[in-house]
Amino acid sequence: MVLPERVDGDGGRLREEFNQAVRRPEEFGGLPEVARLLDRLAAGERRPSGQVWIPDTNARLAPSALLRGSFPDSDTYVIASQYGEDAHRRGWLRLDRSLTPAEHAAVVDRAVTWTESDRSLPDVLAEFGPPSVTFGPPDPHRPKTLSYATDDPAAPVVAFHLGSARTDPDPDDRTPPDAVLLAVRVRDEFLGGWELTPTGVDRFHQRPERASE
């Protein structure tokens, strides 16, 4: 990731550009543009030491680096949600809904065990309410990530990763099925931080690189 070329003087405008791009990266230049906007935001907040904070979530070695490639149709929104979390820790992410401490504690406590069964987009919304941020298109059948957060930047952001349903099309039904839950991320750790649904596990084992072995 390259250093920002200049410090942006209009921080409010830049934050709004970032918030639009991170929610719908495919409409605003893709993930490289999201990363570029983060770099420019960081450059606008140079520390007294002269250091510039460069977000590097996409390159770090973590469970997400392994799992992202397992869900190709939702890969973009998994990465976008991680950039969003980086921004939230710096106060740059605008939340559409800020959870109360009690609501947030309930999501953190229940998300992993709740995801041990297959779920769909309506199930997530019915169980936990509207998300703090949706990374991806609004269409209910399209892949996306729903993230739940509070105003506390140090609190974990719980992310539900959804992919398109893989079912044989019904010629008499023109309504695509709702997106299905593949995994939840509470922390980027192997033990207790991630949980895959049965559908998510199936897709993990069907990765192209494994199919060729």
Side-chain angles (χ1 to χ4, degrees):
M1 193 173 291
V2 298
L3 289 173
E5 295 180 357
R6 64 184 179 85
V7 174
D8 223 285
D10 188 351
R13 177 188 58 79
L14 191 58
R15 281 191 295 273
E16 183 55 32
E17 287 183 15
F18 166 77
N19 274 277
Q20 292 182 41
V22 78
R23 284 165 165 81
R24 305 288 290 276
E26 74 285 354
E27 297 182 10
F28 292 90
L31 290 170
E33 176 64 11
V34 176
R36 186 182 71 84
L37 289 168
L38 273 173
D39 286 347
R40 289 173 60 189
L41 282 167
E45 293 191 2
R46 288 184 182 273
R47 300 177 181 180
S49 63
Q51 295 178 336
V52 177
W53 177 77
I54 304 296
D56 198 25
T57 299
N58 192 24
R60 66 186 179 188
L61 294 176
S64 54
L66 170 66
L67 294 170
R68 280 198 303 258
S70 305
F71 310 135
D73 64 349
S74 57
D75 177 72
T76 295
Y77 308 115
V78 175
I79 298 173
S81 71
Q82 292 179 297
Y83 281 140
E85 289 175 33
D86 284 338
H88 181 54
R89 285 191 286 271
R90 301 285 292 194
W92 299 333
L93 184 66
R94 169 173 45 80
L95 301 182
D96 300 319
R97 174 196 172 204
S98 177
L99 275 64
T100 67
E103 290 171 332
H104 181 258
V107 177
V108 171
D109 291 344
R110 298 176 52 233
V112 169
T113 55
W114 186 82
T115 307
E116 291 174 355
S117 300
D118 276 328
R119 311 287 185 176
S120 65
L121 174 62
D123 295 330
V124 179
L125 297 176
E127 189 71 17
F128 299 109
S132 300
V133 182
T134 297
F135 301 93
D139 315 56
H141 63 282
R142 298 275 301 280
K144 57 181 58 60
T145 290
L146 307 184
S147 290
Y148 291 78
T150 72
D151 289 329
D152 179 2
V157 177
V158 181
F160 293 87
H161 302 299
L162 297 108
S164 57
R166 294 179 178 175
T167 59
D168 293 330
D170 183 346
D172 297 325
D173 186 1
R174 298 185 179 181
T175 304
D178 292 315
V180 295
L181 185 62
L182 302 178
V184 65
R185 183 179 78 252
V186 179
R187 294 173 301 279
D188 214 2
E189 303 170 359
F190 279 110
L191 299 178
W194 277 83
E195 181 66 36
L196 274 65
T197 62
T199 294
V201 171
D202 288 343
R203 295 197 188 178
F204 179 77
H205 288 301
Q206 294 170 6
R207 291 184 301 173
E209 57 267 36
R210 291 199 174 189
S212 61
E213 292 177 357

